[in-house]
Amino acid sequence: MTQLEQLRHAMRRAELDAVWISDPANVRALSGFTSGRDAKVLVTPDGATLYTDARYTVQAAEESPLTAHIARPPATYEHAAPGVSGLRVGFEADHLTVAALEDLRANWPGATLLPVQGLVQSLRVIKTADEIQALRDAQVLADEVFMAVRPMIVAGARELDIANEIELRLRQRGAGSAFDIIVASGPRGAMPHGVASERLIEDGDLVTIDMGARVRGYHSDMTRTVAVGDPPEEMRRVYRAVLEAEEAAVQAVRPGVRTADLDRLARDILTGHGLGDAFAHSLGHGVGLEVHEGPSLRATSEDVLASGMVITIEPGAYLPGRGGVRIEDLVLVTDDGYEVLSTSPKDTL
């Protein structure tokens, strides 16, 4: 069953006749069109239309099996208006701007517009074989680049230079960086999102590297914390505790497991080491066309793992003024367990 067919089933369950897709990742998922930021998709009971502008006439024809209508608003809305008259039309409430919603209301007076959330995202959590291969390729590249740059992470190196070298090598391989590269050394390691700075790495630092590649629109995500010189015993202890929590959570991955239980497993291990309060974020998230997508691996999540999901497992512990540790693997949920896609070795302290 195609994603469009799955979406129509979801539409019927939500009592919708049509949906207006504006989220770029959802546009791509449904249409195959890679410039989703400049496109919309209208799905009705008996059709689906890709709307984009004249810059993409050739690209839309090459990439998407959907009928493409080349126009800019308000002509876009005028073209769609007859097909939605009298219908209950869902719009993506977590993406569509207020101004764009007002445009729809003005141009589609015969439609009943209803907010929806997660309608397409819920269909994207299970990856196809082609999507899994793209994610696998992105992670292979990220591992290769990390291993090439790893010898450069030494005392005296600047965080920004490490991040720039990672990004350069990704681009040289025809890929892009999945997100702003995090290089957080020494006390800056206490910032979970400590993007690279001017700081020079010092002997005894732990250095957190969070990076990923973007290949064919799909993202990888991996974190390694590496030791430079001889870190203090306190930070060695933190590292060992985070590694224990990370490995235990990965080994517990299998279909049918509640993601909240995985978060609890890792959190309980860190709590046992006196680091529960230092674990300042959820255990992980799904990865695909977006770096952060479903399922959610947080304590309050109701998501359940299923074969074909690709997730991160990334516990961390952050001590203000002293430093931090995060270790993250990219993991494919298989029919009978899991496969770790990230292969870069982890330090042993």
Side-chain angles (χ1 to χ4, degrees):
M1 184 183 297
T2 67
Q3 283 196 324
L4 273 174
E5 291 170 333
Q6 294 179 55
L7 176 58
R8 288 194 176 96
H9 281 292
M11 288 161 53
R12 287 194 289 272
R13 290 194 298 270
E15 299 183 342
L16 296 172
D17 304 309
V19 288
W20 179 249
I21 304 299
S22 57
D23 181 282
N26 292 338
V27 168
R28 174 165 180 167
L30 293 172
S31 70
F33 183 62
T34 59
S35 297
R37 292 186 183 279
D38 293 312
K40 306 290 186 293
V41 172
L42 176 65
V43 180
T44 60
D46 55 1
T49 303
L50 172 68
Y51 289 94
T52 188
D53 63 67
R55 293 172 296 171
Y56 302 104
T57 301
V58 174
Q59 182 181 334
E62 289 181 350
E63 292 183 343
S64 179
L66 302 186
T67 298
H69 185 78
I70 307 301
R72 289 181 179 272
T76 298
Y77 306 133
E78 293 167 357
H79 177 270
V84 298
S85 182
L87 301 185
R88 293 166 58 85
V89 182
F91 64 88
E92 296 185 298
D94 49 358
H95 183 269
L96 196 71
T97 66
V98 173
L101 176 58
E102 290 305 313
D103 285 342
L104 292 183
R105 286 174 172 155
N107 286 276
W108 296 351
T112 301
L113 296 173
L114 300 166
V116 297
Q117 288 183 296
L119 199 65
V120 179
Q121 287 90 332
S122 66
L123 307 179
R124 289 169 36 205
V125 296
I126 306 297
K127 284 9 184 210
T128 66
D130 287 344
E131 289 179 307
I132 290 171
Q133 189 59 55
L135 290 162
R136 191 185 297 276
D137 292 346
Q139 185 55 54
V140 167
L141 178 55
D143 279 313
E144 290 174 353
V145 169
F146 174 80
M147 293 306 295
V149 173
R150 174 66 178 86
M152 305 175 190
I153 306 172
V154 296
R158 191 175 64 148
E159 292 178 354
L160 271 171
D161 293 332
I162 301 299
N164 289 340
E165 186 67 24
I166 291 171
E167 183 157 7
L168 175 62
R169 288 173 181 260
L170 289 172
R171 291 189 177 278
Q172 287 174 334
R173 297 287 296 275
S177 179
F179 46 86
D180 288 341
I181 297 164
I182 292 172
V183 182
S185 62
R188 293 192 71 253
M191 296 187 290
H193 284 180
V195 294
S197 75
E198 297 276 356
R199 185 181 188 274
L200 299 181
I201 296 169
E202 298 179 2
D203 187 71
D205 280 352
L206 290 183
V207 184
T208 298
I209 309 290
D210 190 348
M211 58 169 290
R214 186 177 68 254
V215 173
R216 301 194 296 279
Y218 288 81
H219 303 79
S220 63
D221 192 1
M222 175 187 73
T223 306
R224 293 292 183 264
T225 298
V226 301
V228 175
D230 187 19
E233 179 55 32
E234 177 190 31
M235 296 311 298
R236 290 174 175 269
R237 181 183 69 82
V238 173
Y239 183 93
R240 291 192 293 266
V242 172
L243 181 60
E244 178 186 344
E246 199 268 346
E247 291 181 339
V250 168
Q251 291 166 13
V253 169
R254 61 182 53 84
V257 171
R258 296 176 65 250
T259 59
D261 291 339
L262 286 179
D263 182 278
R264 185 178 303 107
L265 170 64
R267 204 168 297 277
D268 285 349
I269 290 172
L270 289 174
T271 298
H273 288 282
L275 295 169
D277 290 341
F279 184 10
H281 51 75
S282 64
L283 180 64
H285 52 85
V287 182
L289 285 171
E290 297 175 286
V291 178
H292 291 85
E293 57 182 48
S296 169
L297 278 72
R298 63 176 63 250
T300 57
S301 175
E302 297 182 359
D303 293 337
V304 177
L305 295 182
S307 180
M309 291 180 173
V310 177
I311 61 173
T312 67
I313 300 291
E314 50 177 309
Y318 311 95
L319 307 179
R322 288 171 285 175
V325 174
R326 182 165 66 257
I327 302 170
E328 175 185 24
D329 278 317
L330 189 65
V331 180
L332 168 65
V333 184
T334 63
D335 290 343
D336 56 1
Y338 65 91
E339 178 188 352
V340 178
L341 302 183
S342 40
T343 61
S344 295
K346 302 162 188 173
D347 281 19
T348 54
L349 299 182

